[in-house]
Every structure is written in structure tokens, then in C-alpha cells.
Amino acid sequence: PPGTRSPHHLAAAPHLVSTPRSPSPSSPILPGPTILTSRSTPPTPPRSSFHGVVTAAALMDPKSPDDRPEAAAPQPLEWRFAQVFGERGAGEDVQEVDIISAIEFDKSGDHLATGDRGGRVVLFERTDARGNASRTELERQDYSVPRHPEFRYKTEFQSHEPEFDYLKSLEIEEKINKIKWGQTANNALFILSTNDKTIKYWKVQDKKVKRISVMNLDTSQSADNGTTSSSSTSSSRGLPNGGSSEKSYNCANNDLPFPPGGYASLRLPVVVTGQELNPVARCRRVYAHAHDYHINSISNNSDGETFISADDLRINLWNLEINSQSFNIVDVKPANMEDLTEVITCAEFHPTHCNTLAYSSSKGAIRLIDLRQSALCDNHSKLFEEHEAPGSKSFFTEIIASVSDIKFARDGRHILSRDYMTLKLWDLNMDSGPVATFQVHEHLRPKLCDLYENDSIFDKFECCLSGDGHRLATGSYR
């Protein structure tokens, strides 16, 4: 029945900044982000090993903050094309595994992580940060200069592989559902990534490249030239290690040429550490076998030691250093599944209070819980929901009220929530209703019947706030 449908079958919408646009009446309604570009055609960037497409749009203020009067109305924002990574060539088909399914900035904004349906995680780093700038560049930045951030490819790694659950005869795809950044330590980056069932904790750190040198064979030369380096040559006289000047011994694959008669002595390889740095990703922990349903959310705690993972019916609390057990803190599964009326759609920790978290449900409610109250937090400390006006309830009311995403503001005072039709801003000190409501899909209300027939009404959209809390962003149809 409407409102009780499990949301885990829906495709995760990319966390891209977009603006709502009405779908064309002559074309089918398809979910997806609106990619913001400049008015002019941007130059084609060079190809890279990254297969997905990431488009960056820079938000520019027409005037610097020093030039704007405090009482003046805010100036209209202007979006400009900034960068694109992994743009496909003309006539090249989009592969299913290359479609981006998750994207996340870290708190500093200096690093960006993307995950795709092929289970890969690709990292980008900001190149125009003040910490990496020269003295001349820092002097230029003493006054406000409107410029967009620039990113470059850092590294990528295979986070998840396809699996098969033999007990349930269920295939587990490798698609990345969520990515969350952890706290940095010792110049290392920490990332949590998850698919439908398994969460992995990754450490990415720059390592000095080690090479093997002082060898008899010169591995840099191919068998085609038939020559060796001066350090690898020897005389053709009789050799004590069994070599013979009458025969020429070569490798089986002819990749490494031997001098006639072999080598006079055998040198042991020496490992030399160079000054070149190369980012290396290493999986530190794997958190598995804790969810019966598909994982829809993961969130790091501000204490830097724990995180939560949520599926349709449960929320588990993990310690980053312990992957053998987790603690179930929220369980909405009824004794009889026929009595199920709502499911968990999203969960997130408070940005500064390590004992507080919020989770949303398919009935449009947001519950705030305090971990200090009890071990099993079935009873919430606050409930945020907006009641429908009498007589306005319809067949689609519960479906479009389902909250697909929630985000805390950086100050922890407000919560931003997204349902199918609206974007709502809540104040933690006022649970009577949202302080602001933004209509996103109001133009689709007359088409709810068509959206229900093709299952588009069950699409999920994400939302986010800017670092200063003054801007909101969400997804829509293109």
C-alpha cells in the first residue's frame, strides 16, 4: 500500500547541486541531476583514467563581501562552468558501471570523493588552497578575487566487488551507496564507503615509491634492442657460476637479454626509496553481516571514534576500531511484519554533539534521539513533522511525504529535509513545524497519477547546505 513501500529498491541520486526544471511534456520524466554549465561552450579537457563524469560549477558573488552594504539585499548568484572530469568522447556509450552513485566533499572542501556503480571510489584534491599557495599567491589573496576552486585527480581504488549471499540466494551488487569522510590524522585521509550490505573503512596516504636497483639485468630495456647496460655486461670467458662462453642463455619470454656466457657474479637486488610520493589506499576495516536490509545511510560521529549505519528497519552503532560487533540502537521492526507502517529512510549524527542523532521515516517524520537516555533508543526526545490540513489528504499524501534525505547545518541548530515535493528547514528548538518550506516539484502535482504509474513518485533526492548555512541545494528532474 502507499506509504509502506520499502525505499531500498530506488536508485541513489547523485549529490549534485542542481536547480528544478519542468520536464518536457513530449518526453518521459527521467530522474537525474541538472548539471550546471556556463553559457558558452567550455573547452574539452584532456582524457583521464576516471570514467565517470563530474561537473563542477562555481558559485560566484558579483561583489566582494567588503563592497556590499550590510543592509542591502543579497545579490543574485551566478553559476559558471569550472571543471569537468571524465568527459566521454563523441559516440562513446555510457557504461552502467561508470555512472556516479555517490559524491561527497570533506569538511574542509579541499577533497572530493565519488563512487560509481562499479564499486570504484575516485578522489580529487583542491589545488588552489591557501595552504599550498606560494608567497606571491598569498599576497594576491589578501584582497578579494572572484575565482572558482580548482581540483585535480588524486587517486582511485576498487572499494567493493560483486558478492553473493548463499544463505539468502541474493546477489549483492558493488554499487557505492554512500561515502563519508572521516577525521584526518598524520596527513592521511580516512573514508567510509558502503554498498547494500558491507561497509569498508579506507586509509589513503602518500607513500614514497620504492624501486629495486643494483641488479644484474637491466629491466628497463626490452629484448628488441638486444643490448644491456654497462653494469650488466661481462666478458665472454669461462664463468664460475656455470656460464659458458659458447652458448647464449635467454629468458623464456625473451624479455630480459643475457650476455653470452652469463654473468660473472650474482648481485642481490637493493630496494631504494625515492623522493616521489604516490597515494596508496588501504582497507583498514570491513564491517559486514549486520544488516538484513539494504544500507541507506552511514554517518560519522563528532567524537572520531564511532559511526552509525542504517537500513530500512534498524540503526547500528559501530566503533571504528572494532568490526566484529555493533550495537543496535534503533529497531522499528514490528513482531508481525504485516503491522509495518513506516521505514527508516535516512540517519545522521549531530555535527558537534556526539550523543545526538536524527533519523527520518517514510511517513515524513524526523526523530531526534539522545544516546544518553537508554541503550535502545526506541523513544525519541523530539519529533519533527508537519501535519496535513483537514480535508487535504489524498491517495498520494503519504507517498510524497516520505523524507528521502536529511542534513544537519554545520552549527547543529537546523535540520534540512527533502521529500518528493518540498525542501524544508527545521529549527531544533521549535518542533511545531518547519521554519521555512521551499516548493521544488509543485508543478508536478497535477501529474502525480502518471508519476505513480511509472514509479517515478518513489524517486529519492538528496539535499545539502553551504558551509555558512545561507544556501541550500537539492536535486530535481532534467
Side-chain angles (χ1 to χ4, degrees), residues 278-313:
N278 192 30
V280 177
R282 182 171 63 90
C283 184
R284 294 195 60 192
R285 300 283 188 277
V286 178
Y287 313 92
H289 312 300
H291 289 276
D292 293 331
Y293 303 92
H294 291 181
I295 299 173
N296 55 44
S297 302
I298 54 175
S299 179
N300 281 307
N301 199 347
S302 59
D303 61 7
E305 298 179 357
T306 57
F307 73 95
I308 56 172
S309 60
D311 60 23
D312 294 343
L313 299 179

Side-chain angles (χ1 to χ4, degrees), residues 1-7 339-343 362-363 398-399 458:
T4 61
R5 187 167 183 172
S6 177
D339 299 330
L340 181 66
T341 59
E342 63 179 336
V343 295
S362 59
K363 277 194 170 183
E398 290 188 2
I399 302 177
F458 298 101

